Amino acid sequence: MTGTTSVGGPHLPRYHREDAALRTPVGFPDYRSTALRAPLRTPVDLAHRLTEVTGPVLGEDRVLPHDADLTLRNGGEAVGQRILVHGRVLDSDGRAVPGALVEVWQANAAGRYRHVGDSFPAPLDPHFDGLGRVVTDSLGRYEFMTVKPGAYPWGNHHNAWRPAHIHFSLFGRAFTQRLVTQMYFPDDPLFGQDPIFNAMPAAARHRAISRFSLERTQENWALAFEWDIVLRGSDQTPFETDDDGDVA
Amino acid sequence: MSEPFGNPLLVVPDAPGPHQPRSGRRGSGFLDGPLRLGTTPSATVGPYLAIGMTWPDGAWAAEEGTAGAFWIRGRILDGAGDLVADAMVETWQADPDGGFASPEDPRGAASYPGFRGFARSHTADPPGEFAVHTLKPGRVPDGDGGLQAPHIDVSVFARGILDRVVMRIYFADEAEANAEDAVLRALPEDRRSTLLATPADDGYRLDIHLQGERETVFFAV
Ligand SMILES: [Fe+3]
């Protein structure tokens, strides 16, 4: 969908909507909790007007210095395989999204969340709370240090296990760009039996899987995984950039 | 259900060409098609969204003590009529003068004392209920020469919802403006009321029905 809407002169961007065949449906039968929660009626198309093309500015004021390192909490080090998770936040026109708040949360290395609702009998880690926050830099880059989350069981079906994943929440610039998603790790043997993973259309699943990144692996310290996140773009003219992000 | 998925894992890469992230086309100065990257697919927030998505000041789109501010409260209900206590509601709206605290507003970013325009509320306490402290938004242009009725854009996230669902809150005591609103007018009359917050002691109330007879009108944005 392209085109512009005039609001007394200035033109509003119209945000592209990914084809339904490449979007996660709101409900998915094998994920049983969706049965009573995912709306059943066809949503009504809402044209993009001022409320939809604007969004809150949430940046450094929501982030503390230690929020980018989840391995240091309560005066000690988290147990587990240290990993650096890094990547870029882009829109589908290829433009970097700078200054964007990225919120992450995850289970500890044993697969346990620090949450009253998590009854999985795996140990809690006094030095891991599973919460991170970062803001993308001028080129849309983000990175944080954490430990690789463990897989964990859940009650969806017999012997159901979630593949290791990190939850991500992103705002972008506009209400239309809001995204909450999960990052997976390469070649997880649990993908095949996980309905949350499989709810993503087959042709889009690879976009949720990070890439092992030997380049950023830190000698004697941490492995690295790279994951680029692509938010919806608009019909604004995209810039061509060189590798340094400068407009060519 | 021992074999919930009959097919082995299927992961299909994007077609080669302009849809590839990190494509070698960057820097060439020429594109032989629109540069369009595939968007990252959505996933559920899961039951533990409180770890990463709640803020101590989340509910306060308008600071405490802001003149004219009120609470909008409501329940989130599933298809069985049960309360959804692991959901989160986010709201985004104009200020009382119709301005947005966003540089994306082509009229320029507005600022209004004590007002952020954005709020988020977990539904854990009391169970199944959200609450945001805000101001009545002003009327903003609808792009066709008219004005929209005062409204708040709302995202609902929860365990058991794989992509956020979007609705709007309108105000039942704005009958004249509501009658002129292009979005409301396009809805069947008997469904408009699912978006109308009604006056209450300390502000307004509106329940969000994810399913059922009174399923809220949700929007595709
Ligand atoms: Fe999880």
Side-chain angles (χ1 to χ4, degrees):
Chain A
M1 189 165 69
T2 57
T4 54
T5 302
S6 172
V7 176
H11 290 280
L12 298 185
R14 218 27 91 83
Y15 283 82
H16 306 297
R17 192 165 168 79
E18 187 75 90
D19 287 344
L22 291 169
R23 290 201 312 267
T24 312
V26 66
F28 186 69
D30 289 314
Y31 176 17
R32 285 166 34 194
S33 302
T34 67
L36 287 171
R37 292 185 166 198
L40 298 175
R41 295 178 187 241
T42 305
V44 176
D45 280 324
L46 183 67
H48 296 172
R49 298 185 177 89
L50 280 164
T51 319
E52 290 72 41
V53 303
T54 54
V57 178
L58 302 164
E60 298 290 350
D61 59 323
R62 305 235 57 108
V63 174
L64 298 170
H66 71 267
D67 285 347
D69 190 343
L70 288 74
T71 69
L72 300 174
R73 290 290 190 275
N74 301 317
E77 283 185 89
V79 172
Q81 173 78 65
R82 266 186 226 105
I83 59 172
L84 176 75
V85 178
H86 67 100
R88 295 178 76 195
V89 181
L90 305 166
D91 70 21
S92 61
D93 297 311
R95 295 184 302 171
V97 183
L101 180 65
V102 179
E103 296 170 292
V104 299
W105 68 102
Q106 64 169 89
N108 70 19
R112 178 84 185 266
Y113 282 98
R114 184 170 290 283
H115 189 283
V116 290
D118 189 354
S119 55
F120 176 35
L124 279 168
D125 180 343
H127 300 303
F128 190 79
D129 61 16
L131 164 66
R133 288 192 175 118
V134 292
V135 175
T136 58
D137 71 9
S138 61
L139 300 181
R141 296 177 300 201
Y142 73 91
E143 64 179 64
F144 57 92
M145 187 67 79
T146 185
V147 294
K148 189 172 180 199
Y152 59 85
W154 60 312
N156 186 72
H157 56 275
H158 175 67
N159 205 16
W161 290 82
R162 292 298 327 283
H165 61 274
I166 298 177
H167 295 264
F168 274 70
S169 164
L170 297 109
F171 284 91
R173 303 178 193 90
F175 181 81
T176 50
Q177 290 184 310
R178 185 81 176 94
L179 176 69
V180 176
T181 185
Q182 299 177 20
M183 184 200 94
Y184 296 90
F185 293 87
D187 304 319
D188 194 313
L190 293 167
F191 286 155
Q193 58 77 60
D194 180 45
I196 294 179
F197 180 84
N198 285 280
M200 295 183 287
R205 287 172 199 157
H206 68 286
R207 299 177 189 165
I209 304 172
S210 59
R211 182 187 74 86
F212 173 64
S213 155
L214 186 64
E215 320 85 87
R216 295 295 308 276
T217 291
Q218 297 180 359
E219 192 170 6
N220 282 328
W221 193 252
L223 298 180
F225 291 88
E226 180 181 24
W227 191 50
D228 288 348
I229 302 153
V230 181
L231 306 178
R232 295 167 65 186
S234 64
D235 55 9
Q236 290 165 354
T237 312
F239 295 112
E240 259 291 84
T241 57
D242 63 23
D243 287 341
D244 297 325
D246 300 322
V247 176
Chain B
M1 202 163 48
S2 59
E3 200 72 59
F5 308 104
N7 294 327
L9 167 68
L10 188 57
V11 174
V12 183
D14 282 325
H19 296 271
Q20 278 285 8
R22 293 187 290 276
S23 83
R25 291 167 195 284
R26 282 179 172 281
S28 69
F30 296 97
L31 290 170
D32 53 14
L35 175 73
R36 190 70 60 79
L37 308 179
T39 54
T40 305
S42 165
T44 178
V45 294
Y48 308 132
L49 62 97
I51 296 172
M53 288 176 73
T54 52
W55 300 338
D57 65 344
W60 301 88
E63 288 168 11
E64 193 163 9
T66 305
F70 52 78
W71 287 96
I72 300 180
R73 302 178 194 276
R75 299 174 300 168
I76 301 189
L77 300 147
D78 71 10
D82 291 330
L83 293 165
V84 177
D86 49 12
M88 188 169 78
V89 162
E90 286 182 351
T91 62
W92 172 244
Q93 62 170 97
D95 66 33
D97 298 331
F100 289 92
S102 164
E104 298 296 305
D105 187 331
R107 303 167 302 174
S111 87
Y112 192 94
F115 187 66
R116 183 171 73 191
F118 175 79
R120 49 171 37 172
S121 171
H122 196 8
T123 60
D125 182 28
E129 184 149 326
F130 68 89
V132 301
H133 187 255
T134 192
L135 291 163
K136 178 87 71 89
R139 299 185 69 177
V140 300
D142 67 5
D144 290 312
L147 290 172
Q148 302 185 68
H151 65 274
I152 299 174
D153 273 14
V154 179
S155 303
V156 181
F157 305 85
R159 173 179 67 84
I161 297 179
L162 283 158
D163 195 0
R164 68 163 174 170
V165 293
V166 170
M167 49 94 64
R168 275 183 166 194
I169 292 175
Y170 286 89
F171 298 87
D173 55 5
E174 295 281 347
E176 203 174 307
N178 290 342
E180 295 169 5
D181 186 86
V183 175
L184 280 178
R185 287 168 65 107
L187 300 175
E189 218 172 320
D190 62 329
R191 298 202 67 213
R192 291 177 200 165
S193 64
T194 69
L195 303 182
L196 296 183
T198 53
D201 287 347
D202 60 353
Y204 294 86
R205 283 200 71 89
L206 178 62
D207 289 344
I208 298 173
H209 296 261
L210 296 173
Q211 294 182 359
E213 282 292 277
R214 298 238 331 128
E215 182 177 312
T216 297
V217 171
F218 294 105
F219 294 106
V221 294

